[in-house]
Amino acid sequence: MIGLDQIKDIARPTPSKIVLLVMDGLGGLPHPKTGKTELETAKTPNLDRLAKEGICGLVDTVGPGITPGSAPGHLALFGYDPLKFTVGRGVLEALGIDFELQEGDIAARGNFCTIDSSGLITDRRAGRIATAKCAELCHLLDGLKIEDVDLLVSPVREHRFVVVFRGPGLLSELSDSDPQREGMPPKDVVPLSAEAAKAAYIANQFIARARATLADHHPTNMVLVRGFAHYPHFPKMSEVFKLKPAAIASYPMYRGLAKVVGMEVLATGPSIEAELATLAQHYDSYDFFLLHVKEIDLAGEDGDFERKAEIIEKVDAALPRLISLNPDVIIVTADHSTPALLKGHSWHPVPFLLRSNWCRPDQVQEFSEKACSLGSLGRFPGTQVMPLALANALKLGKFGA
Amino acid sequence: MIGLDQIKDIARPTPSKIVLLVMDGLGGLPHPKTGKTELETAKTPNLDRLAKEGICGLVDTVGPGITPGSAPGHLALFGYDPLKFTVGRGVLEALGIDFELQEGDIAARGNFCTIDSSGLITDRRAGRIATAKCAELCHLLDGLKIEDVDLLVSPVREHRFVVVFRGPGLLSELSDSDPQREGMPPKDVVPLSAEAAKAAYIANQFIARARATLADHHPTNMVLVRGFAHYPHFPKMSEVFKLKPAAIASYPMYRGLAKVVGMEVLATGPSIEAELATLAQHYDSYDFFLLHVKEIDLAGEDGDFERKAEIIEKVDAALPRLISLNPDVIIVTADHSTPALLKGHSWHPVPFLLRSNWCRPDQVQEFSEKACSLGSLGRFPGTQVMPLALANALKLGKFGA
């Protein structure tokens, strides 16, 4: 498989434009009554037209049999091998609340919890306190300084928060303080490498200070932290692919992932129509656009087959605005499947279509899992999406003499 | 993916014969008026018969989205991972004029150019001098000796030549002297590793001597060199695949590439009929034959859709002679696509057929890009061609106990 270094050598900037529409969780499983998936149930004349004019296939974003988390699924589509380029839990949590991480930061996921008088955990979630209460408590802890490290504490939802450590010399190779069980005391944070000793010291100091601060806030009288991770330093899409990329996404985590690979994040509204308006508005200023639609995945996670099909129809109905911009390359696919029948992410490959003036159309006549399985792209890994996108936009020179 | 070391362990010599017909640049794009590619336009009853009797697929010789140069495209078909086995510009240039490179040689591409009295380049191509003039000037430089290194200078075409450095201890990790722009002086050749210091010294001496020799030959009064490369040392097909391989190709570069992997190069004429006569003549002496047809690619590069289709028909018409030899395995494919519409190499996967007594025929009824996209081989990388060829010739033992 060709690597980023080799792509970098042959990629060249051109005025041609690529739009990558990620319909999050698009792939599904057939409904037992109809034998049709959510996508096959939805009426999608515009997607069908694109599939007919383009080339199709099925993508294993991470690998056959592998159910991708949100980060690996997207990173693969962005051209980054998700087995090599990893984003830790704490960082994802921070990206998910639009927290502006900086290089050198380490982040961890936190829980407010309850301990008894002997220090044993009696409730890992402190009774799932209200989000407003969580914000109030975070405010008490936010802005602490321990030696030369700033502690930034932000609420997520209910008992969950994010803590970011900002300062010199911090490594994220740290064990969790959360024992993941009740009836035990919180654990000390242990450095997993010699260089992480400072970060471990700061983390344990933070936990001690939090305990002191929360002492009279029963039942929320302690914190548990886990998933320490550093903000990753990935090569930027502008360097590797010679693109000027922009992301249009209404959910924070996807904006955060887009930033990690160097996309400019554009302000947009929560609907596909708002996203397409944003695309039209900024169309002249960038040559690569990520459009991310989250609601399909949410319906799948809820196990709501009909709603998932309806949202797919809604996205399809909005597509003429995208098509009328006439991008050199349009790609429609997903980061993973979220079959309503499984109520969660799954390993099933995702349908994929690419339309360009220079693709060699295959015999696929509609956009569906079944039809895509007969497409000329066959079944292929997610990391091949970007080379195909660039090639079809005439942005790749010859490899080798 | 299985590597050469593993193949080597299971390959075994047998009397069975494999013919690999490379129709250079075969893959195409549909004509806007007919919706058919060059191959789909041509009448190819013999290729269709082979496709029907065999198994088909689409090959990405280097990788999806990657436009292969001639060397990587062929090396992949010969079983050598083109991302790992690379051939430099200077060596390809030398192979392209049938120059007999030896192990240890380094070669570079040269331009005759014009400099002004202050040493700045005024024309990187010295007015594109005639090839005869180039030959005359090469003769002046050819055969110099600098210390223990022989300099061999040969004309290519117009202002282009090849210089080969032959002597002990030469490494090709050298920068170019060609600044690729006019209005600047030629650059010194700089060693890119400590071990390349000697080669850099010799190269700079060569350039100084050339300048002195050409002083009164205005406008051709200087040389520019670039693309230093060493003659590669690849494992031979006889060692890895236990084959006795021969190449039948009328263009020098392909004969050169065949030599690099240890094929015997047979003298032949320029037509497919001549190549097939050569095949018949030597049929008993080898067990693997590369047949290379260049003209299809040339028509594609010229953007001549009709001529490309006609040449494909002509090759097809000659095939009964090949089929009558009844090789155990016949493979027909290409090193890359050269769609007439793009007038150059492209990234589109190439059609592939393999016929043997032991293949498991699929439902493909004709040889075309569309039909091959539904073949049982699916879409697969070029390095899998040789294992498939060997297996179908019963030349591979079991892998593992």
Side-chain angles (χ1 to χ4, degrees), chain A residues 1-3 6-7 10 55-56 354 356-364 373-381 383-401, chain B residues 27-30 37 40 58 60 62-72 81-84 86-89 92 253 301 337 341-342 345-351 369-371 373-374 379:
Chain A
M1 173 94 67
I2 200 153
Q6 289 157 315
I7 287 282
I10 55 175
I55 48 177
C56 293
L354 180 156
S356 85
N357 285 333
W358 304 110
C359 68
R360 183 201 283 154
D362 54 25
Q363 301 186 322
V364 174
S373 80
L374 298 173
S376 66
L377 287 167
R379 188 159 172 165
F380 65 104
T383 47
Q384 294 183 352
V385 169
M386 277 304 296
L388 284 169
L390 295 167
N392 276 278
L394 304 183
K395 288 181 189 290
L396 286 186
K398 214 185 279 188
F399 175 79
Chain B
L29 279 174
T37 66
E40 289 161 5
L58 287 176
D60 292 290
V62 177
I66 306 305
T67 296
S70 296
D81 180 354
L83 301 178
K84 200 174 143 196
T86 56
V87 177
R89 179 79 256 173
L92 271 188
M253 192 204 284
E301 297 256 8
S337 293
L341 270 73
L342 280 171
H345 293 198
S346 80
W347 65 91
H348 301 87
V350 293
E369 289 89 344
K370 274 208 188 67
S373 81
L374 299 173
R379 189 158 171 164

